[in-house]
Amino acid sequence: MATTQNVRTGAVWPVLLGVAVLAGATAAGLGAMTLADALTATGLPDPGPVTTYGLPFVRAAGEIAAVVAVGSFMFAAFMVPPQQNGVLDADGYRALRVGTAAAAIWTVCAALLVPLTVSDVTGQPLTSRLSPSDIWSVASLVETAGAWRWTAVLAAIVTVASIPVLRWSPTPLLFAGSLVTLLPLALTGHSSSGGSHDLATNSLLIHLIAAALWAGGLLALLVHVLRRGGHAELAARRFSAVALWCFVAMALSGVVNALVRIRPGELFDGGYGLLVVAKAVALCTLGFIGWRQRRSGVAALQSDPEARGPLIRLAITEAVVFGLTFGIAVALSRTPPPPPPVFNPSIPAIEIGYDFAGPPTVARVLFDWRFDLIFGTAAIVMALVYIAGVIRLRRRGDAWPTGRIVAWLLGCLVLLFATSSGLGRYMAAMFSMHMAAHMLLSMLTPILLVLGAPVTLALRALPTAAKGEPPGPREWLLAALHSRVSRFFTNPIVATVIFVAGFYGLYFGGIFDAAVGIHAAHLAMNLHFLLSGYLFYWVVIGIDPTPRPIPPLGKVGMVFASLPLHAFFGVVLMSTNSVLGESFYKSLQLYWHTDLLGDQKLGGGIAWSAGEIPLVVVMIALLVQWTRSDRRTAKRLDRAADRDDDADLAAYNRMLAELAKRETR
């Protein structure tokens, strides 16, 4: 048995390196086959064999390293339990160290891709004409090369941050950080340019994250089983649930991304279409293997924790298919798609990704929808998950207030409307529409979501881990609530500064001017509006438990302290004579949108007036909480009086009688 264990443990790194080499070789081979089409489409000379074969190989191998880092940090955080004192056990620590090594390899690959990308874009051989100074100066001008520089920096930060970690608490942050390293990759390439690039970029972002979770989790589980780690049945069961949802997300986002770039009739007409078909076949194969894994490998492990053979065999097969899939994906990203059917797209279609039927009207704002794959999907998923939690409570016989259900669903509806309706469609082209969506995302949506008390619902609906059993989602949520990070951000001063300073820093700090024409920046802005608003109103309204509970008067003080700053922001916008994002808005050349300063003043008026409705809602919520708190206190005192025959009141009356006697003497 010891010999078998040593053999399996020694196979860990050869397996991971084998998958990376397979992905790289597949990408290099397919990339070389489509090189002629790529050179014809770009009009550039051949950059030489080092770039031709090296770039796709390094990129595919690096992406495997990236997903190994994601999966390993996820495994250490959520798949195997830590020790009771919060220190990682041997299995978690080994996964963490694999993640550190993979993040370091990802850093090196991303750094190598900077000169390789410059060579590819310029058509200059890497070894003959490009000096390091040339590469550095050109990289800042090439979007893809700049993205790889950011990737290398982010991956290096994750690598260094993971080295001293021994406890469980930082591992979720490392997991989140490893996912962040994928963002520059998701926001460049075919999906970031051309028509409908908003849909293409959003779908690619979902696709990459789902692929990283699925492939990385699989490889981490395979490493764990090969090392004969403990809690293998628990890790397999948890990963199986993650893999199922990742398959659904990859399939749907892949279909959207492909339809944006190619018509169904062109799938078998050229290299790009054939690669799309090959990737679809690989994804279906992965889905079938995953289904077999759930029915045989995971089931066998649940029946007998030592029966790891079926899971290992299927996991290795799945890892090989993943290696081929990543190689196909990299080759696909380097193959020019078929030319679009419209050869003269409008300027808004090029800059934003879609066109407009005309100026915004009430009908167009309400009914001219363009679904946001990120925030629109999030709104729907949040509503469904919340309803599932309520159903679980009611099946158990527990009640849940109808008002909270209505508030949460309204919040999800407002989020969907602000990002996917005509308002979301026009917000990228008009400052006033942007400001209206901003106010909905930062002022109204968070209030409604906070009133839904999602944390309280989760704590009541999620099962509690029995004594001696590994922690689960409920324990993770409690750990997050009581963490130092949560205590820092729920500090009333910190929450208020983040909420208010975001307005001034974004619009008056030059950030909006630089970011207004970038789709990724719009995603980041919407996320900031939503999260900063939720944090502020979570602390202010406080239905859900917070690490720093504050009294009702303190909450009222926070609201009234932020109102003048918010109103002043709107007044400044209305009075300024310089147009924010002027060059971008002018570049759209919308004949019905020429008064940019007037539109900005309208946006300032929206910002100035938008604070009234949230103030009323918050004050009503605080008044209700205050009243209920008084009622609970009165009921508690009444119950205490019933138990001791109102001893406190009797003592008080005796004191008054004694004082009266003293006055009469």
Side-chain angles (χ1 to χ4, degrees):
M1 181 65 68
T3 302
T4 304
Q5 180 175 349
N6 290 336
V7 171
R8 287 181 173 179
T9 301
V12 167
W13 282 108
V15 167
L16 296 179
L17 292 175
V19 174
V21 170
L22 175 62
T26 302
L30 294 176
M33 293 173 59
T34 59
L35 176 64
D37 293 338
L39 295 179
T40 301
T42 59
L44 294 173
D46 188 345
V50 175
T51 299
T52 300
Y53 296 100
L55 191 152
F57 184 93
V58 173
R59 175 170 177 174
E63 289 182 11
I64 294 296
V67 302
V68 170
V70 170
S72 298
F73 291 138
M74 177 178 68
F75 201 88
F78 304 116
M79 300 300 173
V80 290
Q83 301 178 55
Q84 291 185 353
N85 59 2
V87 177
L88 292 171
D89 70 351
D91 296 324
Y93 182 76
R94 287 172 179 169
L96 178 68
R97 294 284 72 90
V98 171
T100 301
I105 295 173
W106 178 222
T107 303
V108 174
C109 289
L112 290 174
L113 283 165
V114 175
L116 287 170
T117 300
V118 172
S119 172
D120 185 58
V121 171
T122 60
Q124 300 289 330
L126 182 65
T127 56
S128 61
R129 300 183 181 180
L130 293 175
S131 65
S133 59
D134 293 334
I135 292 172
W136 183 261
S137 60
V138 174
S140 60
L141 304 176
V142 179
E143 181 185 18
T144 307
W148 285 120
R149 286 199 306 184
W150 273 109
T151 300
V153 171
L154 294 172
I157 293 174
V158 172
T159 303
V160 174
S162 67
I163 293 175
V165 172
L166 294 175
R167 302 185 65 83
W168 174 84
S169 54
T171 54
L173 298 178
L174 294 175
F175 168 56
S178 64
L179 287 175
V180 171
T181 65
L182 301 174
L183 296 184
L185 175 64
L187 300 173
T188 57
H190 291 160
S191 297
S192 64
S193 59
S196 298
H197 64 77
D198 59 324
L199 293 176
T201 301
N202 290 352
S203 61
L204 180 59
L205 185 60
I206 296 172
H207 198 76
L208 274 178
I209 292 177
L213 295 177
W214 188 3
L218 170 75
L219 293 173
L221 177 62
L222 177 58
V223 168
H224 180 71
V225 176
L226 287 174
R227 285 175 167 170
R228 303 194 65 81
H231 301 286
E233 67 284 357
L234 173 69
R237 186 174 68 250
R238 289 178 174 177
F239 170 70
S240 181
V242 172
L244 175 61
W245 289 108
C246 288
F247 171 75
V248 174
M250 283 187 67
L252 295 178
S253 60
V255 169
V256 172
N257 198 275
L259 290 177
V260 168
R261 293 284 160 251
I262 189 171
R263 288 166 291 182
E266 298 173 328
L267 287 175
F268 299 96
D269 291 344
Y272 190 89
L274 292 175
L275 288 176
V276 170
V277 172
K279 189 177 177 183
V281 171
L283 182 59
C284 292
T285 304
L286 288 170
F288 175 76
I289 297 174
W291 174 75
R292 289 292 304 162
Q293 186 73 279
R294 289 171 66 91
R295 291 180 61 87
S296 60
V298 176
L301 202 58
Q302 299 300 317
S303 301
D304 180 8
E306 296 301 321
R308 308 184 179 206
L311 187 142
I312 290 175
R313 288 190 293 271
L314 284 171
I316 290 177
T317 303
E318 195 172 358
V320 170
V321 179
F322 261 122
L324 294 172
T325 304
F326 273 75
I328 295 172
V330 170
L332 186 64
S333 69
R334 291 182 51 76
T335 304
V342 179
F343 294 96
N344 294 310
S346 66
I347 294 177
I350 296 174
E351 294 289 339
I352 300 177
Y354 51 85
D355 210 341
F356 300 92
T361 61
V362 174
R364 286 172 181 156
V365 169
L366 293 178
F367 303 111
D368 190 10
W369 283 52
R370 186 177 180 84
F371 187 72
D372 189 301
L373 289 177
I374 300 294
F375 294 100
T377 303
I380 295 173
V381 171
M382 287 162 55
L384 294 177
V385 171
Y386 190 92
I387 292 173
V390 173
I391 293 174
R392 174 177 288 188
L393 278 185
R394 293 189 172 176
R395 284 179 177 175
R396 201 170 63 196
D398 295 337
W400 185 254
T402 303
R404 294 182 180 180
I405 301 174
V406 173
W408 179 268
L409 295 181
L410 283 176
C412 294
L413 181 61
V414 174
L415 173 60
L416 179 65
F417 178 82
T419 56
S420 299
S421 69
L423 177 62
R425 187 185 189 98
Y426 281 92
M427 71 178 294
M430 299 180 65
F431 186 83
S432 59
M433 295 291 102
H434 167 86
M435 188 56 63
H438 177 172
M439 294 299 105
L440 289 178
L441 291 174
S442 64
M443 303 292 283
L444 183 56
T445 303
I447 293 176
L448 294 170
L449 295 180
V450 167
L451 290 175
V455 177
T456 302
L457 175 63
L459 292 176
R460 292 183 59 184
L462 291 171
T464 302
K467 186 176 181 181
E469 290 187 356
R474 189 178 188 278
E475 288 70 32
W476 301 334
L477 180 57
L478 285 173
L481 282 175
H482 298 292
S483 66
R484 293 181 180 179
V485 174
S486 181
R487 288 186 59 83
F488 172 78
F489 283 106
T490 54
N491 184 299
I493 298 176
V494 174
T496 304
V497 168
I498 292 176
F499 180 62
V500 175
F503 289 83
Y504 292 89
L506 174 63
Y507 297 105
F508 302 138
I511 300 176
F512 184 80
D513 282 325
V516 63
I518 304 173
H519 176 69
H522 279 280
L523 293 178
M525 282 189 285
N526 289 344
L527 184 63
H528 170 75
F529 298 153
L530 192 62
L531 294 182
S532 63
Y534 188 91
L535 175 65
F536 179 79
Y537 290 111
W538 176 29
V539 175
V540 167
I541 297 176
I543 295 178
D544 279 329
T546 61
R548 293 176 178 269
I550 57 177
L553 285 178
K555 297 176 181 180
V556 174
M558 284 183 63
V559 174
F560 280 100
S562 63
L563 279 179
L565 297 174
H566 186 274
F568 181 71
F569 166 77
V571 171
V572 172
L573 272 181
M574 287 188 291
S575 60
T576 186
N577 291 320
S578 59
V579 178
L580 299 175
E582 181 177 13
S583 59
F584 171 74
Y585 290 133
K586 283 184 176 180
S587 70
L588 297 179
Q589 298 182 18
L590 298 171
Y591 71 91
W592 42 264
H593 184 42
T594 56
D595 186 8
L596 300 182
L597 184 59
D599 184 67
Q600 179 171 295
K601 292 182 181 297
L602 175 60
I606 293 173
W608 174 74
S609 61
E612 301 299 326
I613 296 177
L615 174 62
V616 173
V617 176
V618 170
M619 295 307 297
I620 292 175
L622 292 178
L623 180 61
V624 171
Q625 290 183 47
W626 210 334
T627 303
R628 289 178 177 175
S629 177
D630 290 341
R631 289 176 181 174
R632 287 193 297 267
T633 302
K635 289 180 180 180
R636 186 176 66 252
L637 294 176
D638 290 341
R639 287 194 299 267
D642 292 338
R643 288 194 303 267
D644 57 13
D645 294 329
D646 215 351
D648 290 339
L649 181 59
Y652 181 71
N653 289 334
R654 286 196 298 270
M655 181 191 70
L656 293 178
E658 182 64 26
L659 291 174
K661 288 180 180 179
R662 292 179 182 179
E663 291 179 357
T664 57
R665 289 176 181 174

